[in-house]
Amino acid sequence: MTDAVRERYARFAAVEAPGRSAVYAEWAAGVAVDTAVQAVLARIPETHRQPPLVFAVTRLLGAPVAPFDEWRAFVIGRADDVVSECAARTLQTNEPLRLAALLPVLSEIEGPLALLEVGASAGLCLYPDRYSYRFRDADGTLRAVLDPHDGVSDVVLESRVDGPLPPLSMPQVVWRAGIDLAPRDARDPDDRRWLRGLVWPGESGREQRIEAALDVAAADPPMLVAGDALDRLDALAAAAPSDATLAVTTPGVLVHIPRGSRQALVDRIRSLDARWVTIDPPGLLDIWEPAVDAASWPGFVVALDGRVRAAADPLGAWWEWRPGTAGPST
């Protein structure tokens, strides 16, 4: 089991953390060669020992953002607490910047919209109409500006666009709901602290963006239900207003669901009278239209009803319009 921990953390140190967090890259590289820490992390259930989750939990418990040796001493000294707290928590990135990559897809769907998010956490990705957008070229040239009807939002989502810019519009959202195994309340101080703690050290501006988005959600809380999406999806979808287009979103959540349950959930979503909007790793599903070469595809796949629309950074920092079909969706 420690072999799995070593391989996972070595991959994170080499591929996922560089460019985002030097601290997390150092900690993960240290875990990959430290058998004592590997033994502690191997006690955590496999679905709860992802590096960002473990690192966030240790910081929540009081670990310093410091060199690996200091973090290691904390983990060894508080091993039981680390294991139990990780087992009780899940990754809930809840990054509103993902909406910058999803906006062109939402722009294709005839509104008004009823949004239902799977893996909603505190629901920060349920407010595409309440945030401002600034889309730029690689050289920083401003290409598009979109603001809510009442002016510039306190949450400004800046994203780089490579290639052509598709038609963009602010969606009209009339209903917001979400499902999560452990929903977070944007009004609760402890939940807010946990969501801020999931920001990686070194990610400039991200904690402030999430804090501002939490204020938006706290002012007008969405309907959030606790439970497994397979059990709760049908009833929640039935509660959506009949005069709105139901759009079910799964932004970055499917990768955290075991493959068998993942496919069952996708099948359930596609059985609804709804549109399905997602952003996922290219090799996660075998349903993309047209098929995607995971080895050469940049970033994640953004798709509408399984049809490829764009390549994107997993958190929405950049996107490239790559529609798999000509013309708008119907």
Side-chain angles (χ1 to χ4, degrees):
M1 191 176 293
T2 56
D3 286 346
V5 173
R6 182 181 66 252
E7 292 170 4
R8 179 68 184 90
Y9 279 73
R11 183 171 70 252
F12 182 85
V15 177
E16 299 174 45
R20 286 186 61 187
S21 176
V23 172
Y24 277 8
E26 180 189 349
W27 288 2
V31 172
V33 296
D34 192 306
T35 56
V37 178
Q38 291 168 20
V40 173
L41 302 190
R43 295 165 51 193
I44 302 170
E46 183 179 1
T47 55
H48 295 260
R49 71 165 89 109
Q50 305 98 322
L53 176 61
V54 171
F55 295 158
V57 164
T58 59
R59 291 170 56 207
L60 182 72
L61 293 174
V65 178
F68 173 74
D69 287 346
E70 293 184 47
W71 180 80
R72 176 190 188 276
F74 181 91
V75 171
I76 298 298
R78 298 281 300 276
D80 290 345
D81 293 335
V82 170
V83 171
S84 62
E85 191 68 25
C86 285
R89 293 188 178 269
T90 56
L91 275 176
Q92 296 176 298
T93 305
N94 220 199
E95 174 52 74
L97 186 57
R98 284 189 174 124
L99 288 172
L102 297 182
L103 185 68
V105 175
L106 294 174
S107 298
E108 292 189 80
I109 303 174
E110 184 177 353
L113 300 182
L115 287 185
L116 194 168
E117 182 184 356
V118 176
S121 187
L124 305 191
C125 289
L126 287 169
Y127 297 85
D129 56 328
R130 303 285 179 84
Y131 302 152
S132 291
Y133 301 84
R134 303 292 183 266
F135 297 113
R136 300 183 183 274
D137 281 332
D139 64 4
T141 301
L142 192 62
R143 297 186 63 182
V145 173
L146 288 92
D147 293 311
H149 68 86
D150 55 353
V152 179
S153 173
D154 289 336
V155 182
V156 179
L157 306 179
E158 297 216 9
S159 184
R160 188 186 85 230
V161 183
D162 298 329
L165 190 70
L168 300 170
S169 62
M170 292 293 286
Q172 179 189 2
V173 181
V174 296
W175 185 82
R176 310 167 209 271
I179 306 169
D180 200 284
L181 292 174
R184 300 295 171 179
D185 188 340
R187 299 163 295 183
D188 183 88
D190 289 339
D191 284 349
R192 292 174 73 108
R193 187 162 69 97
W194 170 240
L195 292 174
R196 290 195 305 268
L198 286 168
V199 176
W200 300 8
E203 291 186 310
S204 176
R206 189 175 172 201
E207 184 172 347
Q208 293 84 353
R209 179 169 61 246
I210 288 176
E211 186 75 23
L214 284 166
D215 289 341
V216 171
D220 181 21
M223 179 192 305
L224 298 178
V225 299
D228 186 282
L230 278 171
D231 298 329
R232 307 301 299 269
L233 182 62
D234 288 350
L236 193 55
S242 59
D243 57 350
T245 301
L246 178 62
V248 179
T249 65
T250 56
V253 70
L254 296 178
V255 70
H256 302 297
I257 300 175
R259 189 171 185 86
S261 299
R262 180 192 311 152
Q263 187 61 56
L265 176 59
V266 169
D267 292 342
R268 181 70 59 81
I269 293 171
R270 301 184 84 176
S271 73
L272 298 172
D273 181 15
R275 311 302 302 271
W276 172 41
V277 178
T278 196
I279 176 170
D280 294 300
L284 191 71
L285 297 166
D286 300 323
I287 63 169
W288 306 129
E289 302 173 12
V292 169
D293 180 2
S296 61
W297 187 265
F300 277 25
V301 171
V302 176
L304 174 61
D305 302 328
R307 294 195 296 275
V308 176
R309 313 310 287 156
D313 170 72
L315 298 182
W318 61 265
W319 53 274
E320 179 183 0
W321 192 237
R322 292 186 172 197
T325 57
S329 303
T330 57

